[in-house]
Amino acid sequence: MASISVVIPAFNEENGVGDTVRAVRKAFETTSHDLEIIVVDDCSTDRTRQFAEEAGAYVITHPRNAGYGNSISTGVRNARHPWIGITDADGTYPVEELPGMLEETVSRDLDMLVGARQGKHYRGSAIKSWVRVAFKLLSEFTVGQKIPDINSGLRVMRRDMLLRFAPVMSGGFSYTTTITIIAFLTYHFVDYRPIAYHPRIDASHVRYVRDTLRAAQIIIMTILFFNPIKLFILECLFALLCGCVIAVLAFLIPQVAPALLILAVTIAAVNTLAGLGFLAEQRRIQYSGIAFPERGYVPLDRRGP
């Protein structure tokens, strides 16, 4: 028997949160595991809190919208059990997998077991797929091994691991990406389990341009903090590639050589400034304990007696 707190971050999810809570509770009914369900209402403007409470969840409400990652962090800080399960409130994840995932995590002494999404609903649009592949390849290069699903939102994890790395976790949608990279780079035991993935009930809250840029920033900052040499290797390779291309073009088209020289100097200057910026940001992380600019709200302990 194990004890688990299932944390469900929710922002304007009145159409799905109640069914999700009931599905989680039903999944554990025939097991001997101790279960608590925590819904973190991220300052919703609809009836998310009401429907979550009616379904039997313990609900914590943020005083203002703080983001997906901060919502999970609030749930983790207020959880009573040593194992944390997470899922979304939109019906996309097969929560009936959670008991089996918990049992596998405990029996194999893992630190984190992740549901690796399968099927057409996970692939999504072409642009979304390309962005996901790019982030996946960058993360795999950083950790040095294959990552079947970099940002799946169905996981079972050790609470103490999440608390340990809370100061450097993303407060936004990149929370799961961040903990994946950190867990691998700090030699925790992580594995994956194939799961189905369903279409969400309502429209997504993700803003693709803004959240893609933020995700890129978060991944870069995580790499910088835990494995900086990989980031500088990529930067140097990019500068070398640009230099080779410019040299070949200058040789083949002599009349554009002055413009190419200016371009080469510009790239070198930008590369140098970026390197200095990375170093400065690394020192800021080390001395301030605040890792990511998007963390405007630090989750507090909000659980009552």
Side-chain angles (χ1 to χ4, degrees), residues 51 66 285:
F51 290 164
I285 293 171

mmCIF file of all heavy atoms in Angstrom, residues 51 66 285:
data_model
loop_
_atom_site.group_PDB
_atom_site.id
_atom_site.type_symbol
_atom_site.label_atom_id
_atom_site.label_comp_id
_atom_site.label_asym_id
_atom_site.label_seq_id
_atom_site.Cartn_x
_atom_site.Cartn_y
_atom_site.Cartn_z
ATOM 1 N N PHE A 51 -17.352 23.011 -8.808
ATOM 2 C CA PHE A 51 -17.512 21.658 -9.347
ATOM 3 C C PHE A 51 -16.441 20.714 -8.804
ATOM 4 O O PHE A 51 -16.700 19.523 -8.608
ATOM 5 C CB PHE A 51 -17.466 21.689 -10.873
ATOM 6 C CG PHE A 51 -18.684 22.333 -11.500
ATOM 7 C CD1 PHE A 51 -18.667 22.748 -12.815
ATOM 8 C CD2 PHE A 51 -19.837 22.527 -10.760
ATOM 9 C CE1 PHE A 51 -19.779 23.329 -13.396
ATOM 10 C CE2 PHE A 51 -20.964 23.112 -11.331
ATOM 11 C CZ PHE A 51 -20.935 23.515 -12.647
ATOM 12 N N ALA A 66 -1.533 32.379 -11.613
ATOM 13 C CA ALA A 66 -0.090 32.219 -11.395
ATOM 14 C C ALA A 66 0.570 31.274 -12.386
ATOM 15 O O ALA A 66 1.786 31.234 -12.470
ATOM 16 C CB ALA A 66 0.156 31.716 -9.973
ATOM 17 N N ILE A 285 21.052 33.115 -10.758
ATOM 18 C CA ILE A 285 20.350 31.936 -10.269
ATOM 19 C C ILE A 285 21.000 31.422 -8.988
ATOM 20 O O ILE A 285 20.335 31.130 -8.000
ATOM 21 C CB ILE A 285 20.355 30.820 -11.344
ATOM 22 C CG1 ILE A 285 19.506 31.232 -12.546
ATOM 23 C CG2 ILE A 285 19.834 29.509 -10.764
ATOM 24 C CD1 ILE A 285 19.633 30.295 -13.723
#
